[in-house]
Amino acid sequence: MIIAIIVKFSQGDIMVNLFSVFGAGPGVVGTFKIVQCIRYRKPLKKAMDLLDVMMSEVDELVMEPIVRKGMERCWIAFVLCLFFGSCISIHWLSRPLLILLFYGERTRIIDTWPVFNDNWFQWSLTFVFQASNVCFCGHTFYIFDNVYFCISESLLCQLKVLKYRLTHLKLDGSVGSNAALEICIKQHTQVLKVCDLLKFSSEGVIMFQCINTVIMLCTGIFILTLVEHINFNVLLNLGEITLVIIIILFFYCWYSNEIAFQVLMYY
C-alpha cells in the first residue's frame, strides 16, 4: 500500500492523489502505536500489575459497588475499542463486495502496486489474503488505545476507592486508625507510580495522535474544497476516519485531564 501511494505521487499530480495521504494517516498512527506498545510493554505491564495488587487489597464490602462500577466502565471502554475496530474492518471488507454487487467491477480492498487485471480466481485469492490482514490490522491498530483506556478506568476506580478511604478515615491514634492511614499512604504511592508509568508510556503516542489529527483534519477540509473531486465514497471515508480520530483524541484528552484532576485533589 505504501509503495502504491509513492507510485501514485510519482506518476500524477499531488492534488489528484491527496486522498491517499488522508487514507494512509490511520495506518501510520496505528503502526506507531503498535511499535510503542511493544517498546513500552514492560512499564505498561508493571502498571497493570500494580493495579491488580491494589484491586486485590480492596477487601471492604462497602466499596464493592465502587469497584464493580469501575470495572463496568473498564469493560465499556474495551468493548468500544473492539466495536470501532470491528466496524472499520467490516467497512473495508464490504466495499469490494458492494462494488461487485452493484457495479460488477472487481476491486481490491487496498490498492497495491503493481496493479493487476485480476481474473476471478486471482481476485478471490487477493480478497481472502487482504481481508485477513485488514481484520488483523483493524484491531491491532487500536491495541494501545484499548490498553490506555482500560488502565485509565482502573486508575480512576482506585482513586475513587482512595477518596472513600480518606473521607472515612478517623485519626484517633488507635491501632486501627494507624493501619488505615498506612493503607491510604500505600495506595496513594501506588497510584502515583501507575500515573508515572502511564505517562511515560503514552506521552509519545498522545503527541503523535494530536499531530496526526491536526494534519488529517486540515487535509480532509482541503479535500472537501475540491468539489470536482468529491464523490460519495470519498465523503464516506472522510466521515468515517474523521469521526474515529476525533473520538480517540477526545478519550485521550478526557482520561488525561480526569486523572490529573483527581490526583491533584490529594495534594
Side-chain angles (χ1 to χ4, degrees):
M1 181 180 179
I2 296 176
I3 297 176
I5 293 174
I6 296 174
V7 171
K8 283 183 178 180
F9 277 110
S10 64
Q11 293 179 345
D13 186 9
I14 188 174
M15 302 301 296
V16 177
N17 300 300
L18 188 60
F19 185 76
S20 299
V21 178
F22 187 86
V28 174
V29 178
T31 304
F32 179 77
K33 289 178 180 178
I34 295 173
V35 173
Q36 293 297 94
C37 191
I38 297 174
R39 180 182 177 185
Y40 294 106
R41 62 189 183 278
K42 291 183 179 179
L44 291 172
K45 178 65 167 55
K46 190 173 182 180
M48 289 186 281
D49 290 341
L50 283 173
L51 288 170
D52 287 340
V53 171
M54 286 188 284
M55 187 63 67
S56 64
E57 293 175 349
V58 180
D59 53 1
E60 298 91 337
L61 292 178
V62 70
M63 285 188 287
E64 182 177 349
I66 299 176
V67 175
R68 286 187 176 274
K69 186 175 181 180
M71 292 299 98
E72 288 176 1
R73 289 171 59 91
C74 185
W75 273 104
I76 290 174
F78 171 79
V79 171
L80 283 177
C81 286
L82 187 63
F83 175 76
F84 278 118
S86 300
C87 288
I88 293 173
S89 299
I90 292 173
H91 166 71
W92 285 96
L93 291 176
S94 61
R95 284 204 309 175
L97 300 178
L98 293 175
I99 293 174
L100 179 64
L101 178 63
F102 290 103
Y103 299 100
E105 298 179 5
R106 294 192 293 267
T107 58
R108 298 188 176 201
I109 299 175
I110 299 173
D111 291 332
T112 56
W113 187 86
V115 179
F116 298 101
N117 294 322
D118 295 336
N119 55 34
W120 281 105
F121 176 76
Q122 292 173 332
W123 179 84
S124 302
L125 192 63
T126 302
F127 179 82
V128 172
F129 175 76
Q130 291 188 345
S132 59
N133 284 276
V134 167
C135 291
F136 173 75
C137 293
H139 293 89
T140 305
F141 284 169
Y142 298 98
I143 283 181
F144 191 93
D145 302 330
N146 212 332
V147 171
Y148 181 88
F149 298 156
C150 290
I151 290 179
S152 299
E153 280 293 349
S154 299
L155 188 56
L156 289 174
C157 177
Q158 291 301 320
L159 286 168
K160 291 179 181 178
V161 172
L162 179 60
K163 181 180 179 180
Y164 180 88
R165 285 173 171 171
L166 289 174
T167 54
H168 292 79
L169 181 63
K170 296 180 180 180
L171 299 176
D172 53 9
S174 62
V175 177
S177 175
N178 293 335
L181 180 60
E182 290 179 0
I183 292 175
C184 291
I185 294 174
K186 179 182 177 182
Q187 184 181 9
H188 185 251
T189 303
Q190 291 173 329
V191 165
L192 293 180
K193 182 64 175 178
V194 173
C195 290
D196 290 337
L197 291 170
L198 188 60
K199 178 183 177 182
F200 174 73
S201 305
S202 61
E203 55 186 2
V205 171
I206 296 177
M207 180 64 68
F208 195 80
Q209 181 76 48
C210 293
I211 295 174
N212 176 77
T213 301
V214 172
I215 294 175
M216 293 191 66
L217 288 179
C218 293
T219 306
I221 293 173
F222 185 71
I223 291 175
L224 290 176
T225 62
L226 306 176
V227 182
E228 62 273 16
H229 298 294
I230 294 297
N231 55 48
F232 179 76
N233 189 33
V234 171
L235 288 175
L236 183 63
N237 289 330
L238 284 171
E240 177 195 26
I241 297 175
T242 302
L243 179 64
V244 171
I245 61 176
I246 289 178
I247 290 176
I248 291 176
L249 185 60
F250 168 79
F251 276 113
Y252 271 116
C253 294
W254 187 87
Y255 279 120
S256 300
N257 293 336
E258 187 67 17
I259 291 173
F261 175 74
Q262 294 290 341
V263 171
L264 289 175
M265 289 179 60
Y266 301 104
Y267 279 97

